[in-house]
Amino acid sequence: HWGLQTKWLGKEVVHKHRVPSTQTVAHQQALNGSSHGTVVIADQQTKGKGRLNRKWYSENDDGVWMSVVLRPNIPPNQAPQLTLLAATVLANVLTKLKIPEVGIKWPNDILIGDKKVAGILTEMQAEHDQIHYLVLGIGLNVNQSSDTFPDEVKDIATSLKLASNQSYSIRQLIQDILFEFEKSYDVYMSDGFTSIKQNWERFGYKMGEKVAINSGNRTWTATLHGIEADGSLLVSNDDGSHERLYSAEINWKGG
Ligand code: BT5
């Protein structure tokens, strides 16, 4: 049993040892009518997914690999707020564990120092301007050591163990994350985006600093200011103009 201390989140838990991706399983669950708050957990994923068809390495039992089915009563254009909410929840949980230098790199990377420890993938099914359901995936590296990561990510990835020299119970982390997620989600549903914004910006990576930004074929420097209700990132350019970014890559190297 998962020992969850939640009210509605994880009332139904689907646990698999090894699946291609918990996202796919969660989509099937949702299409088969699974209720709001259904959680899909896997020990291992053979085809973990990132955004834009990128890979999420999660082949071993050394991380939290889970997806949550949500049926929120919000317009589809507010769905990015749930990604920001999930990022804030993860940052809070890690900080409570006394992990140092936790940051959120817009839009969905959780960092320790300059390295990525977790990512979030939100996929939505909407029709007639209503969210049918949403699958929110969380991948958190927990007990990997430095030689566990594949070459492609070993310089950019980290784990809780690498950051703190201790191992963690994955089950306990899942309990903590779901508990905090439910609390924040309920506050968000009653108080709206402002409940997320402040908390997110507290962790916001390089907030108020000048960084290099990459968007499509454009690269330039700008100062990061904060997040907007539509999930965009507000920046000010060197010529003083402000801009909202909807998809971009933040690089710290050129900053
Ligand atoms: C993400 O995408 O960061 C979203 C990751 C979501 C994973 C969860 S696990 C449970 C659920 N089931 C799934 O199949 N997915 C979700 P993105 O921002 O596109 O970042 C992907 C990039 O992160 C890759 O291109 C790599 O550079 C890097 N990466 C891949 N695996 C990593 C890992 N384990 N740790 C750190 N970085 C990684």
Side-chain angles (χ1 to χ4, degrees):
H1 203 256
W2 292 91
L4 299 181
Q5 293 174 334
T6 49
K7 294 187 284 269
W8 55 265
L9 183 56
K11 271 218 144 155
E12 187 184 349
V13 175
V14 177
H15 175 235
K16 306 271 185 193
H17 174 54
R18 187 178 173 87
V19 288
S21 161
T22 57
Q23 292 292 106
T24 318
V25 178
H27 278 286
Q28 282 156 3
Q29 290 287 329
L31 291 170
N32 291 335
S34 272
S35 58
H36 175 67
T38 297
V39 175
V40 177
I41 302 169
D43 303 327
Q44 308 174 350
Q45 299 187 116
T46 54
K47 278 196 167 162
K49 295 196 288 182
R51 293 173 302 147
L52 312 167
N53 272 322
R54 293 194 283 237
K55 270 188 185 169
W56 183 258
Y57 295 104
S58 41
E59 310 243 322
N60 303 310
D61 320 35
D62 50 13
V64 172
W65 323 128
M66 74 175 167
S67 301
V68 181
V69 175
L70 297 170
R71 301 184 184 277
N73 194 9
I74 55 171
N77 63 11
Q78 280 175 27
Q81 295 178 2
L82 290 168
T83 304
L84 302 171
L85 179 131
T88 310
V89 165
L90 284 173
N92 272 323
V93 168
L94 301 195
T95 301
K96 281 189 183 167
L97 292 173
K98 303 218 159 51
I99 302 289
E101 291 182 76
V102 175
I104 306 174
K105 191 173 133 201
W106 184 86
N108 71 331
D109 291 359
I110 315 303
L111 306 182
I112 299 176
D114 277 343
K115 294 192 170 174
K116 182 161 173 173
V117 69
I120 294 154
L121 175 64
T122 308
E123 297 175 312
M124 173 169 67
Q125 288 295 322
E127 50 194 36
H128 312 306
D129 221 36
Q130 274 217 315
I131 294 178
H132 182 205
Y133 70 84
L134 200 140
V135 172
L136 190 148
I138 292 176
L140 168 66
N141 300 327
V142 180
N143 291 325
Q144 287 94 340
S145 50
S146 55
D147 52 2
T148 330
F149 288 114
D151 282 350
E152 195 198 321
V153 297
K154 73 164 185 284
D155 293 336
I156 57 160
T158 190
S159 69
L160 297 186
K161 185 175 180 176
L162 280 167
S164 67
N165 273 315
Q166 81 182 77
S167 298
Y168 293 83
S169 150
I170 293 189
R171 184 170 295 238
Q172 181 65 51
L173 283 165
I174 289 172
Q175 285 175 25
D176 294 349
I177 293 167
L178 292 177
F179 183 75
E180 289 294 327
F181 190 95
E182 182 183 271
K183 248 186 7 191
S184 297
Y185 185 95
D186 288 345
V187 171
Y188 165 66
M189 282 302 163
S190 63
D191 297 358
F193 179 64
T194 47
S195 70
I196 303 168
K197 182 175 162 72
Q198 242 192 352
N199 221 335
W200 193 99
E201 286 173 355
R202 188 160 71 87
F203 289 108
Y205 182 72
K206 303 277 178 189
M207 276 298 130
E209 293 180 43
K210 198 185 261 198
V211 298
I213 297 177
N214 218 304
S215 181
N217 49 15
R218 192 174 147 222
T219 300
W220 74 108
T221 59
T223 304
L224 305 184
H225 281 297
I227 48 167
E228 301 281 297
D230 57 5
S232 62
L233 177 70
L234 184 66
V235 305
S236 64
N237 295 323
D238 294 345
D239 66 2
S241 63
H242 283 71
E243 200 171 337
R244 287 175 167 195
L245 303 180
Y246 291 87
S247 76
E249 208 58 59
I250 316 290
N251 294 305
W252 49 93
K253 296 178 190 89

